[in-house]
Amino acid sequence: MPRHHTPDNVLLLLTDQERYDVTAPTGPPVDTAALDRLCADGVRFTHAYTPISICSSARASLLTGRYPHNHGLLNNVHERDAIQTDLSTSIPTFGTLLREAGYNNSYVGKWHVGRDATPADFGFDYLGASDAHDEHLEAGLRSHREERGVDPDDVELEDAIYNRHGDGEEALISARTPLPVEATRPYYIAERTIDRLEGAAGEDAPFFHRSDFLGPHHPYVVPEPYASKYNPEDIERWPSYQETFAGKPQVQENYLEYRGVDHLTWDEWAEAVSMYFGFVDLIDDQIGRILDAVEEHGLRDDLLVVHASDHGDFTGNHRQFNKGPLMYEDTYRIPLMMRGPGVEAGRECDALVSLMDLMPTFLDAADVEEPDGVDARSLWPLLDDSANGRREAIFAEYHGDEMGLYSQRMVRTQRYKYVFNAPDVDELYDLERDPHELQNLVDHPEYEAERDRLRGLLDEWMTETDDPIQKWTSRHLESDAADRPP
């Protein structure tokens, strides 16, 4: 689509498990001054969704613009039962296509799209600070801490909260760390990003830089002053904390024990949530430093800046921890905001959009032709006041994580959400009347027509995108309809 001005450069700031509501104007009182500034200068997409709420799969969809069932990463690559351990380099990604178009691409932070492959295999110069993939690059963070007088192997956590499984195994949920802010990984990622922006300012070629923060993913390990900034006693109990799981798939209640959080009280959750808020605040301040560097190096006029997250986080909503086979707004709705040339300032867009829409958006911004096989749509047509590019519904899927296969599909319209659960009862929520998704209406007679309409939309989408379980799903839904009384 022709625009008044095409940005020469792109900066993508991605977080890991950031809830939509923590940066929303009507959300919890979390200090996100930097992201508020980004929205004031650009557009906030209020109905953005991840195509799947699991890290490796969502990140591969972001790179390829394809649904997980079309790129092959169906669960996390680091798990022992990973269905596929690396994204295929034969699938076009925005990294490889922009590199071919002459962009200087760089990447710092979390990767998690392959056990062996790194961003260097997909068109990026990899600057490190990852979670696991290159010991040499991880040495950069170690040196960064040692230069600040911190022994990386001797950091004792305080006020730790753990999940606890029936076999006695524990894993950390949240804690405060004595590390100074300047020695934390978010600060280090921001430092490397600022260094890259300084270098890019002196280059003739256009650049694309991606910074992937490893938070606010659990464990929520937060330094002062952020660890004490949000008083647990002031945190309001989530409305969905009253969840009973009545009329819902059994796996949802099972996940309380599976995740080891069935013993946690609200007071303990409030402690963890306070650390989550502090983690978001810490990262926001680092994003603020990056945005300041954009101004300092004279890059703003020709730079598209995008912030998003791979998916959300339960943090006690529905009494759940982390994510799983539960397709609630808490983990599927994500923040998405952008500013730059051709983007109207201070605007909110309520169109249904997907994280993977960023792939064709980046290609569009660079005037690079979109390859065959892309399931996503560019966001640029939504940036005027017309209806161009708007969808009737957005779709998502889930295949299981470390617990094995569990097939789900979701269709979400402006008002309703329908979830197909292959092993159990389906779900239907009226988000206008029940925004916290507490009442499953799938068998409610007043919603039968809407349920069947959403099932039809889902069937059409599965056919259009070659979903491998489409034929089985169609037979299942036809059988369900035949079993209902006339």
Side-chain angles (χ1 to χ4, degrees), residues 330-360:
D330 311 291
T331 63
Y332 274 83
R333 194 173 182 183
I334 60 169
L336 177 57
M337 54 197 74
M338 56 191 289
R339 80 167 191 206
V343 180
E344 181 182 352
R347 183 164 175 239
E348 286 194 346
C349 177
D350 67 355
L352 294 162
V353 300
S354 174
L355 173 70
M356 66 183 188
D357 290 339
L358 290 177
M359 187 270 193

